[in-house]
Amino acid sequence: MNENRSRVERTLEPVHALHDAPLAPLTTFRLGGPAATLVTATTDDEVIAAVRAADAAGTPLLIIGGGSNLVIGDKGFDGTALHIATRGFALDGTRLELAAGEVWTDAVARTVEAGLAGIECLAGIPGSAGATPIQNVGAYGQDVSATVTEVVAYDRRAEETVTLSNAECAFSYRHSVFKDQPDRYVVLRVRFLLADAAGLSAPIAYPETARALGVEAGDRVPLAKARETVLRLRAGKGMVLDPADHDTWSAGSFFTNPILTAGEYADFLGRVAGRLGGDVTPPAYPVGAAGEDGAVKTSAAWLIDKAGFVKGYGSGPARISTKHTLALTNRGEATTEDLLALAREVVAGVRDAFGITLVNEPVTVGVQL
């Protein structure tokens, strides 16, 4: 055993561990049963030691950061839940390094205060910094893949800390190597390269943001103005976490926007015409998918609404948000099964109406749609 590994394993003892510990308070849904063991790690060494201990014992391991992308079953998790609560924000010129446990929206605010552009339109997204490369988090015309340079992670297969370049992260729409191999990597730190544009934002890429700012797509605006506008847009859709507002007790967007091949899109247009009339044109954004020309991304929110699941849909304790059809919410007394029943109803309704099967964005633990 090498000296570094011995040093890491000796840190396991001080790590805070609870048994039969509730997990719901660690998620933005406020849902899910308890974990057999809950470990809270505040340093990278503690994270690695806890992971190694679980792996050595053959104990199932659940990684929890900000809990904004988790749907945990009502029976909980029969294993070790590792809550990553590390902290670290380091700026060196335009280079930023964040510890995995840093609160993402706070980190964005600090980069804006520092006058650096690149993630200002990702303001208000709940969760931790370590989760952003896993999901390739994006919103309002920005994705973290555009600014992430490296991800430092613990490789459970190799039993060592590794540094993955942007290319090695294999980013795509809401996907990465970390999501593709969920039981292999535990993100420890994320490194970004931002831009100094004399206090201005990156070029505004998203039409809704441009309209709200009163500018043309491609224009730059003061960083603080870009961030504040995005926060206002998100809040109007219930996408900024507020403990007092049940419309925000969600995982944000519950479904990813479907990407269709040219053939699938043609079939979809036929279904739209048959259901809504030939003069209705659904949202469509050309993309590259699996190397196929003509691939199109459409809007999950549009599909849900046009399939009859309007804002506020539902009569039980889990309902569609009153502000945005893409958010499924816990109205305060819901169970995970209540939430999943609603999600399954939406998936079935959209499939019947348009022939498209929606895919959930949050990670499910102990349950599935």
Side-chain angles (χ1 to χ4, degrees):
M1 179 181 294
N2 64 43
E3 182 180 347
N4 287 339
R5 178 162 178 170
S6 177
R7 176 177 60 82
V8 168
E9 288 177 345
R10 286 199 301 270
T11 68
L12 182 59
E13 200 59 37
V15 175
H16 305 292
L18 299 172
H19 300 287
D20 196 29
L23 295 180
L26 297 179
T27 74
T28 53
F29 265 124
R30 275 51 167 202
L31 293 176
T37 303
L38 171 64
V39 173
T40 299
T42 58
T43 69
D44 290 354
D45 282 355
E46 289 179 351
V47 171
I48 295 169
V51 173
R52 282 180 171 158
D55 287 349
T59 303
L61 182 68
L62 171 64
I63 306 297
I64 301 178
S68 61
N69 202 44
L70 279 179
V71 178
I72 299 172
D74 292 317
K75 292 182 179 179
F77 183 69
D78 187 17
T80 297
L82 173 58
H83 181 212
I84 297 181
T86 54
R87 292 292 181 267
F89 178 102
L91 267 179
D92 180 9
T94 57
R95 295 187 178 276
L96 170 67
E97 179 178 284
L98 297 177
E102 276 291 324
V103 177
W104 175 251
T105 192
D106 292 347
V108 172
R110 292 178 69 177
T111 65
V112 169
E113 290 170 3
L116 297 177
I119 57 175
E120 63 279 1
C121 290
L122 303 179
I125 295 176
S128 63
T132 59
I134 297 172
Q135 192 73 4
N136 187 15
V137 163
Y140 295 98
Q142 289 182 344
D143 297 294
V144 294
S145 58
T147 51
V148 168
T149 58
E150 295 178 329
V151 175
V152 180
Y154 178 68
D155 184 340
R156 298 168 68 184
R157 182 185 301 171
E159 298 186 5
E160 63 182 11
T161 300
V162 296
T163 300
L164 285 79
S165 67
N166 181 287
E168 290 170 323
C169 291
F171 290 121
S172 60
Y173 174 65
R174 302 297 171 266
H175 202 75
S176 69
V177 68
F178 311 106
K179 192 171 182 181
D180 191 50
Q181 302 181 51
D183 296 325
R184 179 172 180 180
Y185 297 105
V186 179
V187 175
L188 301 173
R189 297 187 170 266
V190 188
R191 294 169 180 158
F192 302 81
L193 179 62
L194 304 178
D196 185 347
L200 295 179
S201 69
I204 300 299
Y206 198 67
E208 182 183 11
T209 315
R211 288 194 298 270
L213 287 162
V215 300
E216 297 294 324
D219 288 349
R220 297 176 183 264
V221 300
L223 276 164
K225 187 174 182 181
R227 174 178 174 270
E228 291 162 3
T229 299
V230 166
L231 286 172
R232 185 170 65 252
L233 289 171
R234 290 185 65 86
K237 300 173 183 178
M239 297 289 187
V240 176
L241 189 60
D242 179 354
D245 182 0
H246 289 293
D247 257 343
T248 71
W249 288 28
S250 74
S253 299
F254 195 88
F255 300 103
T256 58
N257 290 321
I259 295 178
L260 310 176
T261 65
E264 290 169 340
Y265 183 62
D267 178 68
F268 169 53
L269 289 178
R271 287 175 177 264
V272 170
R275 182 181 179 90
L276 303 175
D279 58 340
V280 175
T281 302
Y285 312 95
V287 295
E292 292 187 23
D293 293 333
V296 172
K297 180 168 65 177
T298 192
S299 165
W302 187 92
L303 291 168
I304 292 166
D305 179 73
K306 298 306 180 185
F309 303 101
V310 297
K311 295 175 184 176
Y313 178 89
S315 57
R319 304 178 196 174
I320 291 178
S321 166
T322 65
K323 299 181 179 73
H324 199 293
T325 55
L326 205 49
L328 308 188
T329 66
N330 170 13
R331 308 313 295 183
E333 301 295 333
T335 64
T336 301
E337 280 305 311
D338 292 328
L339 176 75
L340 293 175
L342 175 61
R344 291 172 186 133
E345 183 183 0
V346 171
V347 169
V350 169
R351 185 170 52 236
D352 289 346
F354 300 112
I356 294 174
T357 300
L358 294 176
V359 176
N360 52 288
E361 188 165 326
V363 175
T364 55
V365 178
V367 291
Q368 58 185 358
L369 287 187

